[in-house]
Amino acid sequence: GRVGRSIIVGAGPGGICMGIKLLQAGHTNFLILEQAPGVGGTWWHNRYPGAACDVPSHLYSFSFEIKRDWSCPYATAPEILAYMEMCVEKYGLAPYIRLGTTVIGAEWEEAMSTWKVQTHNGGQHRADVLVAAQGMFNEPSWPSIPGLHDFQGTLFHTARWNHDHDLSGERVGIIGSAASAVQCVPEVARLAGHLTMFQRTPNWILPKREDPYRPDRLAYYVNAPDAVEQRRAKLFREFEGFAMVNDPVKRREIEQIGRENIAVVKDPETRRKLTPSYPFGCKRVLRSSSYYPTFNRPNVEVVTDSIQRISAKGVMTQGGTMGP
């Protein structure tokens, strides 16, 4: 039957993949609408210090465009973004992408059997097929803490990091202790005069190989036939068994690895605060080998008192007023 026009919302990995596959199937009547000024989705927006992926690099490329020269076992955000931009260029996708175009609504018109897609600039596009590829992280999630915008210091979200602001020597507060915090806390701690991390619930954090591949290992992945394909297959099998976390014996083994990772924290009270009280797998699993050592620094503290409100000067908790 007739294949009409397609509209894809989002030029992140999902939208890029969809566009490439349409072109490979001979379809050129499509548009990709992207709100950001560049492609890459979450990897375009997230440029905070330490931003990286906690899926092993070799599993983190399209099966039809395998990247063999990842510089390290877990790729950093700039390297992933460069890969996404390369895919757009290599497959000739750029002419089909409208950057800086935010989709604000889509309506199914029954009589015409088409989608009417509206954009922020008053534009309207019609399509036979609408693909939602905007992902989960296209809008920063701000906490609903009273007084958040009363704060008179510098305030920004990790997903909209203010690189013009120098944190050197400053008193810094980070609210939250999950994936983004685990990656940026060690980086911020090296710069800040004092860093307070406000934690609601600790996470299970497994060790992570953060060092780059040695030249001989990198050369092996680049040059040996099927080296990356075999590595991908092995990683896939491991993740497939690991992701369900429904084997109690395996779960206890992993929790032990997590506790060994936490054991580097010297202060018993800080170590207690950072230790989860729930089974591994109840929340998203994180990876870092640089996070826990950061809490041995004299300029870093973790606060678990619940936040009551934010004032002009800092964060007010149930247990009293904190900085930054």
Side-chain angles (χ1 to χ4, degrees):
R2 181 183 72 91
V3 177
R5 191 187 204 204
S6 301
I7 286 181
I8 301 162
V9 183
I16 290 169
C17 183
M18 186 73 196
I20 291 170
K21 287 294 159 184
L22 282 171
L23 287 177
Q24 288 180 334
H27 303 302
T28 56
N29 190 9
F30 69 92
L31 269 182
I32 302 176
L33 305 178
E34 169 56 55
Q35 64 172 343
V39 301
T42 194
W43 299 111
W44 193 92
H45 286 297
N46 284 272
R47 296 165 185 252
Y48 58 82
C53 190
D54 50 15
V55 172
S57 305
H58 288 126
L59 211 50
Y60 211 81
S61 61
F62 297 126
S63 57
F64 57 84
E65 184 55 52
I66 288 177
K67 180 173 169 65
R68 302 179 185 281
D69 60 347
W70 291 111
S71 65
C72 53
Y74 293 87
T76 60
E79 197 169 9
I80 297 170
L81 179 59
Y83 168 78
M84 293 298 163
E85 292 170 338
M86 179 278 294
C87 288
V88 167
E89 185 176 347
K90 177 173 177 176
Y91 290 90
L93 204 53
Y96 302 91
I97 301 172
R98 300 288 177 270
L99 297 173
T101 305
T102 305
V103 172
I104 59 169
E107 183 184 346
W108 175 250
E109 296 181 317
E110 187 69 45
M112 299 172 67
S113 292
T114 55
W115 285 97
K116 184 170 72 174
V117 180
Q118 294 145 337
T119 59
H120 76 292
N121 50 12
Q124 284 193 355
H125 303 272
R126 280 187 163 75
D128 298 271
V129 177
L130 179 64
V131 180
Q134 67 268 34
M136 298 180 287
F137 306 117
N138 50 80
E139 290 298 332
S141 176
W142 286 91
S144 55
I145 299 170
L148 182 64
H149 295 285
D150 295 342
F151 183 60
Q152 290 182 359
T154 302
L155 172 73
F156 53 85
H157 195 287
T158 50
R160 301 291 185 272
W161 195 272
N162 182 353
H163 286 280
D164 294 332
H165 187 85
D166 185 4
L167 296 175
S168 300
E170 296 203 326
R171 292 185 65 81
V172 179
I174 292 179
I175 297 175
S177 60
S180 302
V182 163
Q183 294 179 348
C184 76
V185 160
E187 302 295 324
V188 172
R190 294 190 189 105
L191 294 172
H194 189 272
L195 170 61
T196 305
M197 188 190 73
F198 297 91
Q199 172 191 276
R200 184 167 56 183
T201 313
N203 291 277
W204 284 106
I205 304 170
L206 301 181
K208 180 181 182 181
R209 283 187 55 202
E210 296 175 348
D211 50 318
Y213 284 123
R214 296 192 317 270
D216 58 334
R217 174 55 51 174
L218 188 58
Y220 167 70
Y221 284 131
V222 170
N223 299 316
D226 299 330
V228 173
E229 285 80 355
Q230 289 169 13
R231 173 91 177 125
R232 279 168 70 93
K234 180 173 183 289
L235 288 167
F236 186 86
R237 286 193 302 272
E238 287 174 1
F239 266 71
E240 193 73 355
F242 168 86
M244 294 298 291
V245 291
N246 57 353
D247 178 343
V249 176
K250 185 73 175 168
R251 194 166 62 230
R252 281 195 293 274
E253 287 174 9
I254 295 171
E255 286 180 6
Q256 185 53 35
I257 294 168
R259 286 194 186 91
E260 288 167 9
N261 205 21
I262 299 170
V264 301
V265 179
K266 291 172 184 169
D267 177 58
E269 179 59 14
T270 303
R271 195 164 62 242
R272 183 191 65 77
K273 288 178 177 178
L274 294 170
T275 303
S277 59
Y278 55 87
F280 175 86
C282 290
K283 293 177 69 125
R284 177 182 164 183
V285 180
L286 307 175
R287 286 184 177 272
S288 175
S289 292
S290 56
Y291 179 69
Y292 290 127
T294 301
F295 293 94
N296 292 329
R297 298 177 68 106
N299 67 324
V300 177
E301 68 173 322
V302 56
V303 171
T304 55
D305 292 336
S306 63
I307 296 172
Q308 296 296 89
R309 69 180 320 277
I310 291 174
S311 68
K313 295 193 180 298
V315 178
M316 301 172 73
T317 66
Q318 244 173 355
T321 305
M322 299 284 171

